[in-house]
Amino acid sequence: MFTIRQLSIISFLLALFTAASALPLAVRDVFVPPVTYPHAGTVWKVGSHHNVTWDTSNAPAQITNKEGRVVLAKGGILDNEHPLAKGFDILLGRIEVKVPDVEPGKDYTIVLFGDSGNDSAEFTITK
Ligand SMILES: *[C@@H]1O[C@H](CO)[C@@H](O)[C@H](O)[C@H]1NC(C)=O
Ligand SMILES: *[C@@H]1O[C@H](CO)[C@@H](O)[C@H](O)[C@H]1NC(C)=O
């Protein structure tokens, strides 16, 4: 197994090689797709189903970790023990989740993990 650091070095070297012959492309070894839904103003009801969505348009050809995970956070505190979804392909661009039975609040965020994490804007969960 390669570490992420080793993979970064390898992809950097590969990029150097291809840069000589191909158009210069930005070196992106870490894919951090921005979460597009939920967004500011979104209200979710406990027990309902929603599609979390994210933008995959900047996905590099090589992704070190394609396995996605969606975690709910309140006030910036992640509930890593109970991911809302996991083991899906990060290139899907959406994943359906069920809103868990949590305290109502206006400071919830969704954090999407693949190579790295990206969090949504704060949104509201009601009973
Ligand atoms: C998450 O995505 C937003 C929107 O593209 C971006 O501004 C932000 O830098 C990203 N966060 C991380 C940790 O990469
Ligand atoms: C989520 O998206 C899929 C595919 O578009 C759709 O079939 C499903 O009904 C959506 N779920 C919700 C809760 O909107």
Side-chain angles (χ1 to χ4, degrees):
M1 286 294 285
F2 290 113
T3 64
I4 288 177
R5 175 162 215 96
Q6 286 169 327
L7 284 171
S8 298
I9 292 168
I10 290 167
S11 54
F12 177 67
L13 289 176
L14 281 174
L16 276 186
F17 259 98
T18 41
S21 55
L23 290 168
L25 293 170
V27 180
R28 287 177 145 268
D29 37 49
V30 173
F31 179 40
V32 185
V35 176
T36 48
Y37 182 83
H39 45 67
T42 297
V43 179
W44 281 2
K45 209 166 153 27
V46 164
S48 60
H49 290 81
H50 295 280
N51 276 313
V52 170
T53 61
W54 56 93
D55 185 2
T56 59
S57 57
N58 286 322
Q62 300 288 326
I63 299 179
T64 45
N65 180 15
K66 276 182 70 178
E67 195 171 298
R69 194 157 48 91
V70 165
V71 176
L72 186 67
K74 185 179 193 314
I77 311 292
L78 275 73
D79 186 4
N80 264 316
E81 308 247 302
H82 310 99
L84 300 187
K86 61 179 179 181
F88 54 85
D89 186 339
I90 194 82
L91 294 177
L92 272 178
R94 62 148 191 95
I95 192 74
E96 190 175 300
V97 299
K98 183 182 180 186
V99 184
D101 193 0
V102 291
E103 283 303 304
K106 295 182 171 176
D107 56 348
Y108 282 99
T109 49
I110 286 290
V111 186
L112 173 68
F113 289 100
D115 277 335
S116 183
N118 193 273
D119 49 352
S120 70
E122 286 197 344
F123 67 100
T124 299
I125 293 182
T126 63
K127 286 279 180 189

